[in-house]
Amino acid sequence: MLTSFIEGLLCCLSSKSTNVVVPVETSELADGYEFVEVKPGRVLRVRHIIPDRPVVEEPTGTGGIVSCKRKITVYRNGQLFIENLGEEQKNCQDGETEPNNPVEVELRDSRNSSPTVSLPEAKSESPTAGKEGTAETGAREKAPAAGQTDQLQQPRKRRWKPKRTVIIDCERKISACKGTHADVALFFIHGVGGSLDIWGNQLEFFSKLGYEVVTPDLAGHGASSAPKIAAAYTFYALAEDMRLIFKRYARKRNILIGHSYGVSFCTFLAHEYPDQIHKMVMINGGGPTALEPSLCSIFNLPTCVLHCLSPLLAWSFLKAGFARQGAREKQLLKDNNAFNVSSFVLRAMMSGQYWPEGDEVYHAEITVPVLLVHGLHDKFVPIEEDQRMAEILLMAFLKVLEDGSHMIMMECPQAVNTLLHEFILWEPATLPPPKKDSKTRPETAKARTENSKASSDPSNVRPATARQTSSNSGTVEKPDSKTKK
């Protein structure tokens, strides 16, 4: 603590940063680690594991086809209205199905503090409808009575007009992704202050099952290069890095797993490449709101001050990021290189979180099935934000782990691995095709007359199991059985 304070004081006096903004020294030269130059002078460390599969299988399951139909309407007062369309079956994660009747969900913009305004009604055919103020009604209408004056003077609800309407109409084929399938790749993306090492348990678990896994270090984190300009850590700069990494290692069916700030990059990729993203997992990612840096934040302080406060920030991260603050949790932070970034990078990352496009409408347009994992003791992301995300998304499953917090993949690795694996293997139940009713040719009046005559003759009576042939209709009928085509 004293050393950090002295270094920060020298930084303020000399106007130079004491933080060494270079990649963290690493001795990991084993197979699986690569250094990818996404831009000139911008190098990211990537761990890419291609396991030796004893058996390589081709995907044989038909999977399930889900019809994604919804209408998203945004009104001028900021109100959002989502209507799910279609008569298809909604498939749950446990394999059960429930009818997906047309449902209208009214969602209020979380950023709009104004009271909820009723939805606009159908426009009247009268030419005076929709005009503000008082309008003349013509000679056909009489003047209002004195008792009705107060009723007419009451304020009328304003009819908001739609600002924008988005129609989604597509079909997605969702199938189980096994480790023996060569067309599957898992991408893990960490958040602010993390590194690819925080996914150690997940990488080991899924690579042993035969999955191909890819996880990068964000710029300024882990062993990736750390530019000395703040513009290198904006959302758009980091999202472009993730786009290049994805295009380099992508397979036919890709599954994105993001944590915290990394969820925003997964959402960006799922929106840009909906046909290549098969499934997505959000771990403590927060609500579907546009990113905007806070003006009153401790991270707006000068870099030298943040360097002085770095021990306090690390202690605060331990308190808020873990459900328990023991020796095990401290060792996890040290071993997994978590929250081990320079004050300059930390300040630039927090102030660069500007993404106005990532609002509720942006998330509502995503058709990728999503699993949301939330740690109950998370002090960074309230559970209400993940619940809001589950409401906005088209296909979302929310799972809450009671023993975890923000760094849940490090606290409860077995539970997280089990949830991820079950979701990766999940596929919608294939509904049997509807049975067509057998259509038989109706009997003519002449045939009914001949049959009645034949039945009245005792010599023509046959056993019930014998086939009766009609000479007029040409059909063969079996008593007590349905006609087969």
Side-chain angles (χ1 to χ4, degrees):
M1 178 73 176
L2 182 60
T3 303
S4 300
F5 178 78
I6 294 176
E7 291 179 352
L9 183 60
L10 293 175
C11 167
C12 294
L13 294 176
S14 60
S15 300
K16 295 181 180 180
S17 176
T18 59
N19 297 306
V20 181
V21 190
V22 294
V24 178
E25 294 183 0
T26 176
S27 59
E28 297 169 329
L29 300 177
D31 295 338
Y33 290 91
E34 303 175 2
F35 287 89
V36 181
E37 187 176 17
V38 292
K39 292 181 180 179
R42 192 179 180 97
V43 181
L44 303 183
R45 182 182 67 158
V46 180
R47 189 173 183 185
H48 182 208
I49 303 177
I50 304 178
D52 295 332
R53 300 183 179 93
V55 178
V56 178
E57 299 179 359
E58 293 293 333
T60 56
T62 57
I65 298 178
V66 178
S67 179
C68 305
K69 297 181 180 179
R70 65 182 352 189
K71 180 180 179 181
I72 306 170
T73 307
V74 183
Y75 293 93
R76 298 186 182 277
N77 65 334
Q79 192 177 12
L80 180 66
F81 186 73
I82 299 179
E83 182 181 4
N84 293 329
L85 309 174
E87 300 178 355
E88 66 279 354
Q89 295 288 329
K90 181 180 179 181
N91 300 276
C92 302
Q93 186 175 2
D94 52 6
E96 299 180 357
T97 59
E98 56 182 3
N100 186 19
N101 297 325
V103 179
E104 295 184 359
V105 183
E106 183 179 349
L107 302 175
R108 178 169 51 89
D109 192 353
S110 58
R111 297 171 298 175
N112 185 17
S113 58
S114 61
T116 305
V117 181
S118 60
L119 292 178
E121 301 174 354
K123 293 184 178 180
S124 174
E125 296 180 357
S126 174
T128 60
K131 294 185 180 180
E132 298 181 358
T134 59
E136 298 181 358
T137 56
R140 291 177 301 176
E141 298 182 2
K142 298 181 180 180
Q148 299 177 355
T149 306
D150 296 339
Q151 298 179 358
L152 294 178
Q153 291 180 354
Q154 292 181 357
R156 300 174 59 185
K157 292 184 179 180
R158 184 175 179 179
R159 297 178 178 178
W160 296 97
K161 296 181 180 180
K163 180 180 179 181
R164 181 161 62 104
T165 302
V166 179
I167 304 295
I168 299 176
D169 188 2
C170 64
E171 291 185 350
R172 293 192 65 92
K173 181 180 180 181
I174 306 173
S175 58
C177 301
K178 300 181 180 179
T180 54
H181 296 166
D183 64 337
V184 177
L186 310 183
F187 288 81
F188 295 84
I189 304 178
H190 66 83
V192 178
S195 68
L196 61 82
D197 297 322
I198 68 174
W199 302 108
N201 291 292
Q202 286 71 40
L203 300 181
E204 181 181 1
F205 176 80
F206 286 102
S207 61
K208 287 183 178 179
L209 293 177
Y211 289 96
E212 179 180 356
V213 295
V214 180
T215 174
D217 275 333
L218 296 179
H221 295 69
S224 294
S225 62
K228 297 182 180 181
I229 56 176
Y233 303 97
T234 62
F235 171 83
Y236 296 102
L238 299 173
E240 186 62 25
D241 293 344
M242 295 301 101
R243 182 207 297 268
L244 296 175
I245 294 297
F246 175 77
K247 293 174 64 176
R248 179 185 179 94
Y249 298 100
R251 302 296 182 186
K252 184 178 180 180
R253 293 184 297 169
N254 303 279
I255 301 175
L256 305 180
I257 301 98
H259 172 252
S260 191
Y261 191 30
V263 170
S264 299
F265 304 119
C266 294
T267 305
F268 169 77
L269 293 176
H271 198 275
E272 293 293 317
Y273 304 99
D275 296 334
Q276 293 182 261
I277 307 301
H278 198 67
K279 298 176 182 178
M280 183 167 57
V281 180
M282 300 180 175
I283 303 178
N284 293 326
T289 56
L291 297 181
E292 185 175 357
S294 176
L295 298 178
C296 301
S297 174
I298 190 176
F299 298 102
N300 292 332
L301 296 173
T303 304
C304 56
V305 178
L306 289 178
H307 187 72
C308 296
L309 300 177
S310 57
L312 179 60
L313 295 177
W315 178 81
S316 301
F317 179 80
L318 179 64
K319 292 284 292 183
F322 290 87
R324 301 177 180 85
Q325 297 81 34
R328 174 179 174 270
E329 285 71 23
K330 295 180 180 179
Q331 192 65 30
L332 285 175
L333 285 179
K334 183 178 180 181
D335 295 342
N336 296 310
N337 200 20
F339 207 73
N340 185 23
V341 295
S342 66
S343 301
F344 173 80
V345 173
L346 182 61
R347 183 177 186 274
M349 289 285 293
M350 299 303 296
S351 61
Q353 295 185 13
Y354 179 72
W355 186 33
E357 296 86 2
D359 55 2
E360 290 185 343
V361 179
Y362 188 91
H363 288 79
E365 294 174 352
I366 295 177
T367 59
V368 178
V370 180
L371 170 66
L372 294 98
V373 182
H374 181 83
L376 186 60
H377 301 281
D378 190 355
K379 297 180 179 61
F380 289 110
V381 180
I383 190 174
E384 291 79 12
E385 294 189 8
D386 279 335
Q387 290 174 345
R388 180 69 171 180
M389 180 71 81
E391 292 176 355
I392 292 294
L393 295 173
L394 180 62
M395 287 184 289
F397 312 98
L398 175 60
K399 296 294 182 180
V400 180
L401 297 182
E402 298 180 355
D403 299 332
S405 184
H406 192 67
M407 307 299 291
I408 193 171
M409 62 281 185
M410 298 168 57
E411 298 175 285
C412 312
Q414 296 181 354
V416 172
N417 294 342
T418 301
L419 285 178
L420 297 185
H421 194 211
E422 290 179 352
F423 179 68
I424 291 173
L425 295 178
W426 167 79
E427 63 180 15
T430 304
L431 299 178
K435 295 182 179 180
K436 297 182 179 180
D437 297 335
S438 60
K439 298 181 180 179
T440 57
R441 186 180 300 177
E443 252 184 329
T444 60
K446 182 178 179 180
R448 285 196 299 267
T449 304
E450 294 180 355
N451 291 338
S452 60
K453 291 181 180 180
S455 59
S456 61
D457 190 356
S459 60
N460 295 330
V461 176
R462 298 181 180 179
T465 57
R467 297 185 178 181
Q468 298 179 353
T469 305
S470 176
S471 59
N472 295 330
S473 60
T475 58
V476 180
E477 300 180 357
K478 274 189 178 181
D480 302 334
S481 64
K482 295 183 179 181
T483 305
K484 295 182 181 181
K485 291 187 177 180

